[in-house]
Amino acid sequence: MWTVSARGWAGLVGVLVLLSGCGPESACGPGAGVVARVVDGDTVVLHSGERVRYLLVDTPESTGGKRDCFGAEAREFNRSLVEGRGVRLSYGEACTDRYGRLLAYVSVEGQEVNTRLVHEGYACTLYVPPAGGTRRSEFQALESSARRARKGMWGACASVACDK
């Protein structure tokens, strides 16, 4: 006989709900989905095909031939949080960016990935008006705290791409 942990059951139920189309919808796009692929530290692709850019977050680049300091670490941390997992999406003041990607706050198992990336020093705050205006100061405070504590890229890199 085999057993499944409580987390395993919760994940399985979440995926089944998402795949059944029962996730709440928004005027911007799906309220939930399963992450098929992590593009980099701040962008994912859902199984349904939508590309999602994390709102108010900018990680060092690790795609398109760019290799910013801590870019690979940001991508891998993001992958460890969301790849192959059911996520919830909530939207801010704008639905998409200039590249047509959905702009969203992404949560997995009740934890918001956007804030975690900034808090742990994998990302800095990127505010492109009007998207994220209501939470901008919250993200800036998280970034300041990570900088002071020299977390993640703030302690590992001589120069940080966000400072350019």
Side-chain angles (χ1 to χ4, degrees), residues 64-90:
K66 294 184 180 179
R67 298 284 178 236
D68 292 341
C69 180
F70 229 68
E73 292 85 348
R75 182 185 63 244
E76 290 308 310
F77 185 67
N78 187 26
R79 180 174 285 134
S80 75
L81 296 173
V82 301
E83 193 167 73
R85 300 178 76 185
V87 295
R88 295 270 175 214
L89 306 172
S90 60

PDB file of all heavy atoms in Angstrom, residues 64-90:
ATOM      1  N   GLY A  64      18.159  34.775 -23.963  1.00  0.00           N
ATOM      2  CA  GLY A  64      18.527  35.601 -25.116  1.00  0.00           C
ATOM      3  C   GLY A  64      20.003  35.934 -25.163  1.00  0.00           C
ATOM      4  O   GLY A  64      20.381  37.001 -25.648  1.00  0.00           O
ATOM      5  N   GLY A  65      20.839  35.063 -24.649  1.00  0.00           N
ATOM      6  CA  GLY A  65      22.277  35.297 -24.660  1.00  0.00           C
ATOM      7  C   GLY A  65      22.772  36.174 -23.529  1.00  0.00           C
ATOM      8  O   GLY A  65      23.970  36.373 -23.359  1.00  0.00           O
ATOM      9  N   LYS A  66      21.868  36.711 -22.711  1.00  0.00           N
ATOM     10  CA  LYS A  66      22.268  37.551 -21.579  1.00  0.00           C
ATOM     11  C   LYS A  66      22.526  36.667 -20.366  1.00  0.00           C
ATOM     12  O   LYS A  66      21.797  35.714 -20.116  1.00  0.00           O
ATOM     13  CB  LYS A  66      21.197  38.582 -21.260  1.00  0.00           C
ATOM     14  CG  LYS A  66      21.011  39.596 -22.353  1.00  0.00           C
ATOM     15  CD  LYS A  66      20.015  40.645 -21.951  1.00  0.00           C
ATOM     16  CE  LYS A  66      19.848  41.658 -23.060  1.00  0.00           C
ATOM     17  NZ  LYS A  66      18.880  42.685 -22.720  1.00  0.00           N
ATOM     18  N   ARG A  67      23.548  36.982 -19.633  1.00  0.00           N
ATOM     19  CA  ARG A  67      23.905  36.218 -18.441  1.00  0.00           C
ATOM     20  C   ARG A  67      24.238  37.168 -17.300  1.00  0.00           C
ATOM     21  O   ARG A  67      25.366  37.236 -16.840  1.00  0.00           O
ATOM     22  CB  ARG A  67      25.099  35.303 -18.725  1.00  0.00           C
ATOM     23  CG  ARG A  67      24.848  34.270 -19.790  1.00  0.00           C
ATOM     24  CD  ARG A  67      23.984  33.146 -19.230  1.00  0.00           C
ATOM     25  NE  ARG A  67      23.694  32.168 -20.277  1.00  0.00           N
ATOM     26  CZ  ARG A  67      22.473  31.820 -20.625  1.00  0.00           C
ATOM     27  NH1 ARG A  67      21.438  32.330 -20.032  1.00  0.00           N
ATOM     28  NH2 ARG A  67      22.284  30.931 -21.573  1.00  0.00           N
ATOM     29  N   ASP A  68      23.244  37.933 -16.846  1.00  0.00           N
ATOM     30  CA  ASP A  68      23.454  38.841 -15.722  1.00  0.00           C
ATOM     31  C   ASP A  68      23.791  38.055 -14.468  1.00  0.00           C
ATOM     32  O   ASP A  68      23.345  36.914 -14.295  1.00  0.00           O
ATOM     33  CB  ASP A  68      22.183  39.665 -15.444  1.00  0.00           C
ATOM     34  CG  ASP A  68      21.862  40.668 -16.541  1.00  0.00           C
ATOM     35  OD1 ASP A  68      22.765  41.003 -17.334  1.00  0.00           O
ATOM     36  OD2 ASP A  68      20.700  41.109 -16.603  1.00  0.00           O
ATOM     37  N   CYS A  69      24.552  38.678 -13.590  1.00  0.00           N
ATOM     38  CA  CYS A  69      24.856  38.060 -12.301  1.00  0.00           C
ATOM     39  C   CYS A  69      23.551  37.725 -11.584  1.00  0.00           C
ATOM     40  O   CYS A  69      22.652  38.556 -11.487  1.00  0.00           O
ATOM     41  CB  CYS A  69      25.685  39.016 -11.444  1.00  0.00           C
ATOM     42  SG  CYS A  69      26.123  38.339  -9.820  1.00  0.00           S
ATOM     43  N   PHE A  70      23.410  36.502 -11.152  1.00  0.00           N
ATOM     44  CA  PHE A  70      22.280  35.957 -10.402  1.00  0.00           C
ATOM     45  C   PHE A  70      21.062  35.647 -11.276  1.00  0.00           C
ATOM     46  O   PHE A  70      20.016  35.258 -10.781  1.00  0.00           O
ATOM     47  CB  PHE A  70      21.891  36.848  -9.219  1.00  0.00           C
ATOM     48  CG  PHE A  70      21.744  36.088  -7.929  1.00  0.00           C
ATOM     49  CD1 PHE A  70      22.836  35.524  -7.297  1.00  0.00           C
ATOM     50  CD2 PHE A  70      20.511  35.919  -7.346  1.00  0.00           C
ATOM     51  CE1 PHE A  70      22.705  34.808  -6.126  1.00  0.00           C
ATOM     52  CE2 PHE A  70      20.359  35.201  -6.155  1.00  0.00           C
ATOM     53  CZ  PHE A  70      21.469  34.650  -5.557  1.00  0.00           C
ATOM     54  N   GLY A  71      21.187  35.766 -12.592  1.00  0.00           N
ATOM     55  CA  GLY A  71      20.072  35.435 -13.483  1.00  0.00           C
ATOM     56  C   GLY A  71      19.735  33.956 -13.464  1.00  0.00           C
ATOM     57  O   GLY A  71      18.566  33.573 -13.385  1.00  0.00           O
ATOM     58  N   ALA A  72      20.749  33.113 -13.521  1.00  0.00           N
ATOM     59  CA  ALA A  72      20.510  31.663 -13.501  1.00  0.00           C
ATOM     60  C   ALA A  72      19.924  31.239 -12.157  1.00  0.00           C
ATOM     61  O   ALA A  72      19.025  30.397 -12.099  1.00  0.00           O
ATOM     62  CB  ALA A  72      21.805  30.903 -13.779  1.00  0.00           C
ATOM     63  N   GLU A  73      20.406  31.833 -11.084  1.00  0.00           N
ATOM     64  CA  GLU A  73      19.885  31.510  -9.751  1.00  0.00           C
ATOM     65  C   GLU A  73      18.421  31.926  -9.619  1.00  0.00           C
ATOM     66  O   GLU A  73      17.617  31.193  -9.043  1.00  0.00           O
ATOM     67  CB  GLU A  73      20.724  32.198  -8.659  1.00  0.00           C
ATOM     68  CG  GLU A  73      22.123  31.660  -8.534  1.00  0.00           C
ATOM     69  CD  GLU A  73      23.141  32.285  -9.487  1.00  0.00           C
ATOM     70  OE1 GLU A  73      22.745  33.004 -10.427  1.00  0.00           O
ATOM     71  OE2 GLU A  73      24.343  32.042  -9.282  1.00  0.00           O
ATOM     72  N   ALA A  74      18.073  33.099 -10.171  1.00  0.00           N
ATOM     73  CA  ALA A  74      16.674  33.561 -10.125  1.00  0.00           C
ATOM     74  C   ALA A  74      15.774  32.613 -10.914  1.00  0.00           C
ATOM     75  O   ALA A  74      14.683  32.255 -10.467  1.00  0.00           O
ATOM     76  CB  ALA A  74      16.566  34.987 -10.664  1.00  0.00           C
ATOM     77  N   ARG A  75      16.231  32.197 -12.096  1.00  0.00           N
ATOM     78  CA  ARG A  75      15.449  31.263 -12.916  1.00  0.00           C
ATOM     79  C   ARG A  75      15.246  29.937 -12.183  1.00  0.00           C
ATOM     80  O   ARG A  75      14.136  29.398 -12.131  1.00  0.00           O
ATOM     81  CB  ARG A  75      16.137  31.018 -14.255  1.00  0.00           C
ATOM     82  CG  ARG A  75      15.331  30.092 -15.176  1.00  0.00           C
ATOM     83  CD  ARG A  75      16.054  29.744 -16.469  1.00  0.00           C
ATOM     84  NE  ARG A  75      17.266  29.001 -16.182  1.00  0.00           N
ATOM     85  CZ  ARG A  75      18.514  29.416 -16.446  1.00  0.00           C
ATOM     86  NH1 ARG A  75      18.714  30.559 -17.057  1.00  0.00           N
ATOM     87  NH2 ARG A  75      19.565  28.689 -16.125  1.00  0.00           N
ATOM     88  N   GLU A  76      16.295  29.410 -11.582  1.00  0.00           N
ATOM     89  CA  GLU A  76      16.199  28.127 -10.885  1.00  0.00           C
ATOM     90  C   GLU A  76      15.316  28.224  -9.635  1.00  0.00           C
ATOM     91  O   GLU A  76      14.569  27.306  -9.325  1.00  0.00           O
ATOM     92  CB  GLU A  76      17.581  27.585 -10.537  1.00  0.00           C
ATOM     93  CG  GLU A  76      18.357  27.125 -11.756  1.00  0.00           C
ATOM     94  CD  GLU A  76      17.577  26.159 -12.644  1.00  0.00           C
ATOM     95  OE1 GLU A  76      17.018  25.168 -12.116  1.00  0.00           O
ATOM     96  OE2 GLU A  76      17.517  26.393 -13.862  1.00  0.00           O
ATOM     97  N   PHE A  77      15.398  29.338  -8.921  1.00  0.00           N
ATOM     98  CA  PHE A  77      14.549  29.523  -7.745  1.00  0.00           C
ATOM     99  C   PHE A  77      13.087  29.579  -8.173  1.00  0.00           C
ATOM    100  O   PHE A  77      12.222  28.923  -7.578  1.00  0.00           O
ATOM    101  CB  PHE A  77      14.946  30.788  -6.987  1.00  0.00           C
ATOM    102  CG  PHE A  77      14.193  30.986  -5.708  1.00  0.00           C
ATOM    103  CD1 PHE A  77      14.363  30.125  -4.631  1.00  0.00           C
ATOM    104  CD2 PHE A  77      13.307  32.046  -5.569  1.00  0.00           C
ATOM    105  CE1 PHE A  77      13.666  30.309  -3.448  1.00  0.00           C
ATOM    106  CE2 PHE A  77      12.611  32.237  -4.385  1.00  0.00           C
ATOM    107  CZ  PHE A  77      12.790  31.370  -3.322  1.00  0.00           C
ATOM    108  N   ASN A  78      12.799  30.335  -9.226  1.00  0.00           N
ATOM    109  CA  ASN A  78      11.443  30.414  -9.756  1.00  0.00           C
ATOM    110  C   ASN A  78      10.968  29.025 -10.175  1.00  0.00           C
ATOM    111  O   ASN A  78       9.853  28.612  -9.848  1.00  0.00           O
ATOM    112  CB  ASN A  78      11.401  31.387 -10.932  1.00  0.00           C
ATOM    113  CG  ASN A  78      10.004  31.659 -11.431  1.00  0.00           C
ATOM    114  OD1 ASN A  78       9.021  31.549 -10.701  1.00  0.00           O
ATOM    115  ND2 ASN A  78       9.907  32.023 -12.691  1.00  0.00           N
ATOM    116  N   ARG A  79      11.823  28.283 -10.875  1.00  0.00           N
ATOM    117  CA  ARG A  79      11.475  26.927 -11.319  1.00  0.00           C
ATOM    118  C   ARG A  79      11.127  26.045 -10.113  1.00  0.00           C
ATOM    119  O   ARG A  79      10.154  25.288 -10.150  1.00  0.00           O
ATOM    120  CB  ARG A  79      12.630  26.319 -12.124  1.00  0.00           C
ATOM    121  CG  ARG A  79      12.327  24.904 -12.614  1.00  0.00           C
ATOM    122  CD  ARG A  79      13.424  24.374 -13.525  1.00  0.00           C
ATOM    123  NE  ARG A  79      13.294  25.038 -14.820  1.00  0.00           N
ATOM    124  CZ  ARG A  79      14.302  25.566 -15.504  1.00  0.00           C
ATOM    125  NH1 ARG A  79      15.525  25.503 -15.057  1.00  0.00           N
ATOM    126  NH2 ARG A  79      14.075  26.142 -16.666  1.00  0.00           N
ATOM    127  N   SER A  80      11.904  26.152  -9.048  1.00  0.00           N
ATOM    128  CA  SER A  80      11.653  25.311  -7.869  1.00  0.00           C
ATOM    129  C   SER A  80      10.316  25.627  -7.210  1.00  0.00           C
ATOM    130  O   SER A  80       9.718  24.773  -6.566  1.00  0.00           O
ATOM    131  CB  SER A  80      12.785  25.469  -6.847  1.00  0.00           C
ATOM    132  OG  SER A  80      12.704  26.703  -6.156  1.00  0.00           O
ATOM    133  N   LEU A  81       9.846  26.849  -7.397  1.00  0.00           N
ATOM    134  CA  LEU A  81       8.577  27.258  -6.792  1.00  0.00           C
ATOM    135  C   LEU A  81       7.356  26.872  -7.620  1.00  0.00           C
ATOM    136  O   LEU A  81       6.326  26.495  -7.054  1.00  0.00           O
ATOM    137  CB  LEU A  81       8.558  28.775  -6.567  1.00  0.00           C
ATOM    138  CG  LEU A  81       9.571  29.341  -5.580  1.00  0.00           C
ATOM    139  CD1 LEU A  81       9.525  30.864  -5.605  1.00  0.00           C
ATOM    140  CD2 LEU A  81       9.334  28.810  -4.178  1.00  0.00           C
ATOM    141  N   VAL A  82       7.447  26.978  -8.959  1.00  0.00           N
ATOM    142  CA  VAL A  82       6.220  26.907  -9.753  1.00  0.00           C
ATOM    143  C   VAL A  82       6.156  25.872 -10.868  1.00  0.00           C
ATOM    144  O   VAL A  82       5.049  25.498 -11.282  1.00  0.00           O
ATOM    145  CB  VAL A  82       5.873  28.290 -10.362  1.00  0.00           C
ATOM    146  CG1 VAL A  82       5.687  29.337  -9.290  1.00  0.00           C
ATOM    147  CG2 VAL A  82       6.906  28.731 -11.383  1.00  0.00           C
ATOM    148  N   GLU A  83       7.275  25.425 -11.399  1.00  0.00           N
ATOM    149  CA  GLU A  83       7.204  24.569 -12.587  1.00  0.00           C
ATOM    150  C   GLU A  83       6.440  23.277 -12.320  1.00  0.00           C
ATOM    151  O   GLU A  83       6.705  22.570 -11.357  1.00  0.00           O
ATOM    152  CB  GLU A  83       8.598  24.245 -13.118  1.00  0.00           C
ATOM    153  CG  GLU A  83       8.549  23.624 -14.506  1.00  0.00           C
ATOM    154  CD  GLU A  83       9.910  23.590 -15.162  1.00  0.00           C
ATOM    155  OE1 GLU A  83      10.746  22.765 -14.735  1.00  0.00           O
ATOM    156  OE2 GLU A  83      10.132  24.391 -16.084  1.00  0.00           O
ATOM    157  N   GLY A  84       5.459  23.005 -13.186  1.00  0.00           N
ATOM    158  CA  GLY A  84       4.631  21.804 -13.073  1.00  0.00           C
ATOM    159  C   GLY A  84       3.566  21.889 -11.995  1.00  0.00           C
ATOM    160  O   GLY A  84       2.857  20.923 -11.739  1.00  0.00           O
ATOM    161  N   ARG A  85       3.411  23.050 -11.406  1.00  0.00           N
ATOM    162  CA  ARG A  85       2.472  23.201 -10.289  1.00  0.00           C
ATOM    163  C   ARG A  85       1.297  24.087 -10.664  1.00  0.00           C
ATOM    164  O   ARG A  85       1.393  24.948 -11.531  1.00  0.00           O
ATOM    165  CB  ARG A  85       3.210  23.781  -9.085  1.00  0.00           C
ATOM    166  CG  ARG A  85       4.343  22.833  -8.674  1.00  0.00           C
ATOM    167  CD  ARG A  85       5.134  23.326  -7.551  1.00  0.00           C
ATOM    168  NE  ARG A  85       4.381  23.152  -6.311  1.00  0.00           N
ATOM    169  CZ  ARG A  85       4.822  23.609  -5.157  1.00  0.00           C
ATOM    170  NH1 ARG A  85       5.960  24.242  -5.068  1.00  0.00           N
ATOM    171  NH2 ARG A  85       4.107  23.419  -4.059  1.00  0.00           N
ATOM    172  N   GLY A  86       0.204  23.887  -9.950  1.00  0.00           N
ATOM    173  CA  GLY A  86      -0.969  24.736 -10.105  1.00  0.00           C
ATOM    174  C   GLY A  86      -0.719  26.060  -9.426  1.00  0.00           C
ATOM    175  O   GLY A  86      -0.196  26.112  -8.309  1.00  0.00           O
ATOM    176  N   VAL A  87      -1.060  27.159 -10.102  1.00  0.00           N
ATOM    177  CA  VAL A  87      -0.874  28.497  -9.560  1.00  0.00           C
ATOM    178  C   VAL A  87      -2.172  29.292  -9.675  1.00  0.00           C
ATOM    179  O   VAL A  87      -3.027  28.999 -10.512  1.00  0.00           O
ATOM    180  CB  VAL A  87       0.270  29.261 -10.283  1.00  0.00           C
ATOM    181  CG1 VAL A  87       1.613  28.589 -10.053  1.00  0.00           C
ATOM    182  CG2 VAL A  87      -0.007  29.425 -11.771  1.00  0.00           C
ATOM    183  N   ARG A  88      -2.298  30.277  -8.836  1.00  0.00           N
ATOM    184  CA  ARG A  88      -3.405  31.237  -8.891  1.00  0.00           C
ATOM    185  C   ARG A  88      -2.851  32.536  -9.442  1.00  0.00           C
ATOM    186  O   ARG A  88      -1.721  32.918  -9.126  1.00  0.00           O
ATOM    187  CB  ARG A  88      -3.979  31.499  -7.500  1.00  0.00           C
ATOM    188  CG  ARG A  88      -4.617  30.285  -6.883  1.00  0.00           C
ATOM    189  CD  ARG A  88      -6.066  30.247  -7.253  1.00  0.00           C
ATOM    190  NE  ARG A  88      -6.652  29.016  -6.766  1.00  0.00           N
ATOM    191  CZ  ARG A  88      -7.600  28.373  -7.402  1.00  0.00           C
ATOM    192  NH1 ARG A  88      -8.072  28.824  -8.530  1.00  0.00           N
ATOM    193  NH2 ARG A  88      -8.100  27.272  -6.913  1.00  0.00           N
ATOM    194  N   LEU A  89      -3.638  33.220 -10.250  1.00  0.00           N
ATOM    195  CA  LEU A  89      -3.231  34.486 -10.847  1.00  0.00           C
ATOM    196  C   LEU A  89      -4.192  35.579 -10.414  1.00  0.00           C
ATOM    197  O   LEU A  89      -5.409  35.386 -10.438  1.00  0.00           O
ATOM    198  CB  LEU A  89      -3.257  34.393 -12.372  1.00  0.00           C
ATOM    199  CG  LEU A  89      -2.456  33.261 -13.010  1.00  0.00           C
ATOM    200  CD1 LEU A  89      -2.751  33.194 -14.500  1.00  0.00           C
ATOM    201  CD2 LEU A  89      -0.988  33.444 -12.765  1.00  0.00           C
ATOM    202  N   SER A  90      -3.637  36.710 -10.013  1.00  0.00           N
ATOM    203  CA  SER A  90      -4.465  37.890  -9.764  1.00  0.00           C
ATOM    204  C   SER A  90      -3.801  39.060 -10.482  1.00  0.00           C
ATOM    205  O   SER A  90      -2.589  39.077 -10.676  1.00  0.00           O
ATOM    206  CB  SER A  90      -4.648  38.160  -8.271  1.00  0.00           C
ATOM    207  OG  SER A  90      -3.411  38.377  -7.633  1.00  0.00           O
TER     208      SER A  90
END
